[in-house]
Amino acid sequence: AASPPRRRRLQRGPHPLNFMGTKSIRHIVESTLATYLSTQTGLTTVTFLTGDSNATQTLPKAVVLCDSARAPGDLPEGLGNYACSVRITLFSNADDTTLADHRLRCAALSGNMRDLTSIQAAFTASTDASCYDVTIGSEDEGIDERSWATAFSFDVLVVLPAA
Protein backbone atom coordinates (compact mmCIF):
# COMPACT_ATOMS: atom_id res chain seq x y z
CA ALA A 1 0.00 0.00 0.00
CA ALA A 2 1.30 3.42 -0.88
CA SER A 3 1.94 5.79 1.98
CA PRO A 4 0.00 9.04 2.03
CA PRO A 5 1.82 12.07 0.66
CA ARG A 6 3.66 14.18 3.23
CA ARG A 7 2.30 17.62 3.97
CA ARG A 8 4.78 20.35 3.23
CA ARG A 9 5.46 23.08 5.74
CA LEU A 10 7.48 25.75 4.04
CA GLN A 11 9.05 28.81 5.52
CA ARG A 12 9.87 32.15 4.12
CA GLY A 13 13.53 32.32 3.20
CA PRO A 14 15.52 35.21 1.78
CA HIS A 15 14.89 36.66 -1.62
CA PRO A 16 17.39 34.86 -3.89
CA LEU A 17 19.10 38.16 -4.67
CA ASN A 18 19.67 38.76 -0.95
CA PHE A 19 21.44 35.43 -0.40
CA MET A 20 25.07 36.32 0.15
CA GLY A 21 26.44 32.81 -0.46
CA THR A 22 28.84 32.00 -3.23
CA LYS A 23 27.06 28.80 -4.28
CA SER A 24 23.88 28.39 -6.24
CA ILE A 25 21.05 26.29 -4.84
CA ARG A 26 21.89 23.66 -7.47
CA HIS A 27 25.50 23.41 -6.20
CA ILE A 28 24.29 23.23 -2.59
CA VAL A 29 21.88 20.38 -3.34
CA GLU A 30 24.44 18.44 -5.41
CA SER A 31 27.29 18.74 -2.91
CA THR A 32 25.15 18.01 0.15
CA LEU A 33 23.63 14.87 -1.36
CA ALA A 34 26.98 13.65 -2.73
CA THR A 35 28.66 14.11 0.67
CA TYR A 36 25.77 12.43 2.49
CA LEU A 37 25.61 9.41 0.17
CA SER A 38 29.39 8.86 0.09
CA THR A 39 29.39 7.99 3.81
CA GLN A 40 26.50 5.54 3.80
CA THR A 41 26.76 1.77 4.24
CA GLY A 42 26.94 -0.03 0.90
CA LEU A 43 28.16 3.12 -0.90
CA THR A 44 31.57 3.85 0.64
CA THR A 45 33.39 2.28 -2.33
CA VAL A 46 31.51 4.53 -4.78
CA THR A 47 33.08 7.82 -5.87
CA PHE A 48 30.38 10.50 -5.74
CA LEU A 49 30.78 13.41 -8.14
CA THR A 50 28.69 16.52 -8.63
CA GLY A 51 27.46 17.70 -12.00
CA ASP A 52 30.37 20.10 -12.46
CA SER A 53 33.16 17.86 -11.12
CA ASN A 54 36.44 17.65 -13.02
CA ALA A 55 37.80 14.87 -10.79
CA THR A 56 39.35 11.78 -12.35
CA GLN A 57 36.47 9.42 -12.87
CA THR A 58 36.87 5.83 -11.75
CA LEU A 59 34.25 3.13 -11.35
CA PRO A 60 32.17 2.59 -9.39
CA LYS A 61 30.97 6.17 -9.47
CA ALA A 62 27.77 8.13 -9.09
CA VAL A 63 27.06 11.55 -10.57
CA VAL A 64 24.68 13.79 -8.63
CA LEU A 65 23.16 16.42 -10.91
CA CYS A 66 20.56 19.02 -10.01
CA ASP A 67 18.91 19.44 -13.41
CA SER A 68 16.72 22.33 -12.32
CA ALA A 69 15.68 24.46 -9.36
CA ARG A 70 12.40 26.34 -9.45
CA ALA A 71 9.93 27.95 -7.08
CA PRO A 72 7.43 25.37 -5.79
CA GLY A 73 4.13 25.62 -7.63
CA ASP A 74 2.17 26.45 -4.49
CA LEU A 75 4.34 29.44 -3.49
CA PRO A 76 5.14 32.76 -5.14
CA GLU A 77 8.65 33.14 -6.51
CA GLY A 78 11.32 34.88 -4.49
CA LEU A 79 10.75 33.33 -1.06
CA GLY A 80 13.93 31.21 -1.09
CA ASN A 81 12.09 27.88 -1.42
CA TYR A 82 13.12 25.61 -4.28
CA ALA A 83 11.78 22.42 -5.81
CA CYS A 84 14.91 20.79 -7.25
CA SER A 85 14.91 18.03 -9.85
CA VAL A 86 17.87 15.79 -9.03
CA ARG A 87 19.25 12.94 -11.11
CA ILE A 88 21.75 10.50 -9.63
CA THR A 89 23.35 8.06 -12.06
CA LEU A 90 25.25 5.12 -10.59
CA PHE A 91 27.87 3.39 -12.78
CA SER A 92 29.63 0.07 -12.08
CA ASN A 93 32.19 -1.65 -14.31
CA ALA A 94 30.42 -4.56 -16.05
CA ASP A 95 33.77 -6.35 -16.49
CA ASP A 96 34.52 -6.69 -12.76
CA THR A 97 31.09 -6.24 -11.11
CA THR A 98 28.10 -8.50 -11.42
CA LEU A 99 24.69 -7.07 -12.10
CA ALA A 100 23.62 -8.41 -8.69
CA ASP A 101 26.39 -6.38 -6.97
CA HIS A 102 25.46 -3.28 -8.95
CA ARG A 103 21.85 -3.70 -7.89
CA LEU A 104 22.94 -3.98 -4.23
CA ARG A 105 24.58 -0.56 -4.60
CA CYS A 106 21.39 0.72 -6.22
CA ALA A 107 19.32 -0.59 -3.32
CA ALA A 108 21.67 1.16 -0.87
CA LEU A 109 21.41 4.43 -2.80
CA SER A 110 17.63 4.25 -3.05
CA GLY A 111 17.26 3.29 0.61
CA ASN A 112 19.42 6.17 1.77
CA MET A 113 17.49 8.63 -0.39
CA ARG A 114 14.32 7.46 1.41
CA ASP A 115 15.82 8.35 4.79
CA LEU A 116 14.43 11.88 5.02
CA THR A 117 15.61 12.41 8.60
CA SER A 118 19.25 11.70 7.67
CA ILE A 119 19.05 13.84 4.53
CA GLN A 120 17.60 16.71 6.55
CA ALA A 121 20.45 16.31 9.07
CA ALA A 122 22.99 16.47 6.22
CA PHE A 123 21.48 19.73 4.96
CA THR A 124 21.38 21.14 8.50
CA ALA A 125 25.06 20.22 8.98
CA SER A 126 25.95 22.00 5.73
CA THR A 127 24.29 25.24 6.99
CA ASP A 128 23.73 26.23 3.34
CA ALA A 129 20.06 25.18 3.11
CA SER A 130 17.34 23.16 4.83
CA CYS A 131 15.57 20.21 3.25
CA TYR A 132 11.85 19.66 3.72
CA ASP A 133 11.12 16.66 1.55
CA VAL A 134 12.48 14.17 -0.95
CA THR A 135 10.15 12.49 -3.43
CA ILE A 136 11.31 9.43 -5.32
CA GLY A 137 10.74 9.75 -9.06
CA SER A 138 12.04 6.90 -11.19
CA GLU A 139 14.78 4.30 -11.48
CA ASP A 140 16.01 3.32 -14.95
CA GLU A 141 18.71 0.75 -15.68
CA GLY A 142 20.88 -0.01 -18.69
CA ILE A 143 24.38 -0.71 -19.94
CA ASP A 144 26.63 2.11 -21.10
CA GLU A 145 30.03 1.23 -22.66
CA ARG A 146 30.72 -1.86 -20.50
CA SER A 147 29.22 -0.23 -17.41
CA TRP A 148 26.04 -0.99 -15.56
CA ALA A 149 24.23 2.34 -15.36
CA THR A 150 21.18 3.12 -13.23
CA ALA A 151 19.61 6.58 -13.25
CA PHE A 152 17.45 7.70 -10.33
CA SER A 153 15.31 10.83 -10.30
CA PHE A 154 14.19 12.71 -7.20
CA ASP A 155 12.43 15.94 -6.34
CA VAL A 156 14.07 17.66 -3.39
CA LEU A 157 12.31 20.54 -1.64
CA VAL A 158 14.75 22.96 0.02
CA VAL A 159 14.93 26.49 1.40
CA LEU A 160 17.87 28.84 1.72
CA PRO A 161 18.61 30.14 5.23
CA ALA A 162 17.16 33.47 6.26
CA ALA A 163 19.58 36.33 5.65
Side-chain angles (χ1 to χ4, degrees):
S3 60
R6 291 186 204 118
R7 297 195 57 120
R8 294 191 261 177
R9 287 183 34 223
L10 303 177
Q11 73 183 40
R12 183 179 176 96
H15 187 281
L17 297 178
N18 294 336
F19 181 61
M20 298 305 291
T22 58
K23 297 185 252 179
S24 74
I25 191 64
R26 292 174 59 215
H27 286 114
I28 291 167
V29 169
E30 289 174 356
S31 65
T32 302
L33 291 176
T35 300
Y36 160 70
L37 289 167
S38 69
T39 63
Q40 302 307 305
T41 301
L43 298 173
T44 56
T45 61
V46 177
T47 302
F48 280 86
L49 306 167
T50 58
D52 64 351
S53 176
N54 63 358
T56 301
Q57 299 191 13
T58 58
L59 297 180
K61 72 175 180 181
V63 178
V64 180
L65 179 66
C66 182
D67 289 317
S68 68
R70 61 203 172 284
D74 52 348
L75 292 174
E77 290 186 41
L79 298 181
N81 293 292
Y82 292 91
C84 298
S85 295
V86 176
R87 183 171 20 117
I88 302 174
T89 307
L90 177 62
F91 299 91
S92 298
N93 187 331
D95 293 326
D96 62 15
T97 304
T98 65
L99 180 57
D101 286 342
H102 174 75
R103 287 182 175 165
L104 285 174
R105 288 184 185 126
C106 291
L109 192 151
S110 180
N112 283 292
M113 286 302 293
R114 293 176 193 277
D115 185 352
L116 182 59
T117 302
S118 294
I119 292 170
Q120 288 173 325
F123 273 90
T124 298
S126 79
T127 70
D128 289 325
S130 296
C131 177
Y132 288 107
D133 198 15
V134 176
T135 304
I136 309 297
S138 65
E139 178 179 334
D140 301 299
E141 184 175 88
I143 287 188
D144 178 42
E145 296 181 19
R146 301 298 309 147
S147 297
W148 305 115
T150 303
F152 299 85
S153 67
F154 305 93
D155 288 323
V156 181
L157 186 62
V158 297
V159 65
L160 294 172

